Amino acid sequence: GGSYASHIRGEADNVVESVEEAIHIGEAAGIPVIISHLKVIGKHNEGLSAKVLEVIEQANARGVKVRADQYPYLAGSAPFISCIPPKFHVGGVEQLVENLKDPAFRKKVTDSIQNEYQEFASNLVDAGFDGTLMAGCAKTQQYVGKTIAQIAQEENKDPWDVCYDLLVENDGVAQGIYFSQNESDMLRIIGHPYVMGGSDWSNYTTHLDREKVGGGHPRGTSTFITRLALLRDHGLQTLEQAVHSVTGLPAEMSGIEGIGVLKEGAHADICVFDYAALGADSDYIHPFRKNRGLEYVLVNGKVAVEGGEYNGVKNGCVLKKAPKNKAK
């Protein structure tokens, strides 16, 4: 009674084939398929979202239940070291960082990133130096909120050396944000009825200063507010459809009963918001700024947010998938 959720093989030149592959796996196994954070990467691939959605529609038409989740931003995020092709990671992070001190090794890495794109699509190629923003690098805080291109210009350095020096100086631990998507594809995907909201981000264990520079991505704080606002502003879905895409549809695909719907007997998880006022003030430089328009949140019947502010109430519970066949 579960689903096959796939972080697909590729999201750039091979995105169509990658979605087809994930669907084939679920179809062969006889289970529903979820494509994780569906997107099209690369300016030169603009428009491929139409083909991707067509593939998903065709699968549903022949009886394969396929859905996708998506975050409503043009930039993704990943550890900066993931820009280095996997074949150079042999020996672990410490060994890779040590190797990056060698100019000859750096040349091999650069040549691979530039000339072996079909083997490994690096975010440095998809976003470019102008579109690669540093979100976190604890030992070189002066770089947070700047692109690789900006750092290279300020320090009069080759941008490749900036990348490698940054990794060396931070012991391989740094977080990048990569602007590599097209707005037309993002909007085409977000409005599709088979696509639900998803943040592709981890929970923050503490509440951080709302004016903090860097240290995150707005998808970690504003995904669902931004999604609803985009669907509203572009007239892509009705209010009911937009809400269903972040409540009932994910609950349905998770196989969890009693959430995602407003009805007697269900969990009283309720958000009270002003739809016209919904908006996010967070951005890639200040990812923790407050959202607008969400006034009250009830968790299992208890108010946890009042007047747009969290009040400290913790009333959540572990959500478990409903058993497919209850014992008699």
Side-chain angles (χ1 to χ4, degrees), residues 184-242:
S184 63
D185 289 309
M186 186 271 285
L187 290 175
R188 182 179 289 115
I189 291 169
I190 200 174
H192 198 281
Y194 290 155
V195 176
M196 51 193 169
S199 69
D200 190 33
W201 200 250
S202 302
N203 181 41
Y204 293 108
T205 56
T206 58
H207 284 256
L208 299 170
D209 186 322
R210 286 173 175 159
E211 290 303 311
K212 175 178 169 58
V213 174
H217 187 295
R219 68 189 185 186
T221 53
S222 305
T223 283
F224 299 99
I225 296 290
T226 298
R227 178 183 176 85
L228 293 174
L230 283 170
L231 291 170
R232 174 200 64 204
D233 293 346
H234 292 273
L236 297 171
Q237 290 186 353
T238 65
L239 170 59
E240 293 80 4
Q241 290 170 329

Side-chain angles (χ1 to χ4, degrees), residues 14-314:
N14 62 344
V15 62
V16 175
E17 297 89 335
S18 298
V19 169
E20 289 174 336
E21 178 186 38
I23 292 172
H24 171 72
I25 292 169
E27 188 169 11
I31 55 177
V33 176
I34 300 173
I35 307 297
S36 295
H37 49 72
L38 182 61
K39 68 174 77 69
V40 173
I41 285 178
K43 306 300 181 185
H44 61 289
N45 287 320
E46 184 169 10
L48 272 184
S49 57
K51 178 60 179 177
V52 168
L53 293 171
E54 181 185 346
V55 166
I56 291 174
E57 290 170 354
Q58 289 172 345
N60 280 276
R62 64 175 184 268
V64 188
K65 188 171 186 176
V66 183
R67 302 292 186 267
D69 65 61
Q70 180 212 33
Y71 55 81
Y73 298 95
L74 301 182
S77 185
F80 192 49
I81 202 165
S82 68
C83 293
I84 308 293
K87 65 183 178 183
F88 296 108
H89 291 247
V90 175
V93 172
E94 287 186 16
Q95 185 61 55
L96 174 54
V97 169
E98 185 63 31
N99 291 341
L100 283 173
K101 297 175 184 178
D102 178 7
F105 183 81
R106 291 185 175 197
K107 185 177 186 306
K108 289 180 182 178
V109 173
T110 302
D111 288 344
S112 178
I113 292 174
Q114 290 180 318
N115 302 314
E116 296 177 336
Y117 184 81
Q118 295 305 318
E119 177 182 308
F120 176 72
S122 173
N123 278 315
L124 288 173
V125 174
D126 293 323
F129 298 126
D130 287 322
T132 298
L133 182 77
M134 297 316 301
C137 40
K139 295 188 176 182
T140 54
Q141 284 285 344
Q142 69 272 24
Y143 296 153
V144 173
K146 295 180 179 180
T147 67
I148 295 298
Q150 286 175 315
I151 299 168
Q153 184 176 22
E154 289 174 6
E155 300 192 354
N156 194 28
K157 289 171 62 174
D158 180 89
W160 291 105
D161 282 328
V162 169
C163 295
Y164 305 140
D165 287 346
L166 194 151
L167 285 170
V168 170
E169 290 168 14
N170 287 276
D171 301 318
V173 182
Q175 189 76 13
I177 290 176
Y178 313 97
F179 294 82
S180 56
Q181 299 174 51
N182 301 294
E183 185 177 39
S184 63
D185 289 309
M186 186 271 285
L187 290 175
R188 182 179 289 115
I189 291 169
I190 200 174
H192 198 281
Y194 290 155
V195 176
M196 51 193 169
S199 69
D200 190 33
W201 200 250
S202 302
N203 181 41
Y204 293 108
T205 56
T206 58
H207 284 256
L208 299 170
D209 186 322
R210 286 173 175 159
E211 290 303 311
K212 175 178 169 58
V213 174
H217 187 295
R219 68 189 185 186
T221 53
S222 305
T223 283
F224 299 99
I225 296 290
T226 298
R227 178 183 176 85
L228 293 174
L230 283 170
L231 291 170
R232 174 200 64 204
D233 293 346
H234 292 273
L236 297 171
Q237 290 186 353
T238 65
L239 170 59
E240 293 80 4
Q241 290 170 329
V243 169
H244 179 69
S245 76
V246 298
T247 55
L249 182 55
E252 173 191 326
M253 294 307 293
S254 301
I256 301 173
E257 293 181 348
I259 65 168
V261 290
L262 280 175
K263 69 177 183 180
E264 188 174 349
H267 293 253
D269 298 329
I270 302 168
C271 291
V272 180
F273 57 86
D274 180 345
Y275 191 44
L278 277 183
D281 289 327
S282 61
D283 55 34
Y284 299 99
I285 305 298
H286 301 94
F288 303 103
R289 283 180 174 167
K290 192 175 183 296
N291 297 309
R292 290 173 277 110
L294 180 59
E295 298 299 324
Y296 294 91
V297 177
L298 281 75
V299 180
N300 288 319
K302 289 189 177 181
V303 177
V305 171
E306 301 178 81
E309 296 289 345
Y310 174 55
N311 62 12
V313 168
K314 296 180 178 179

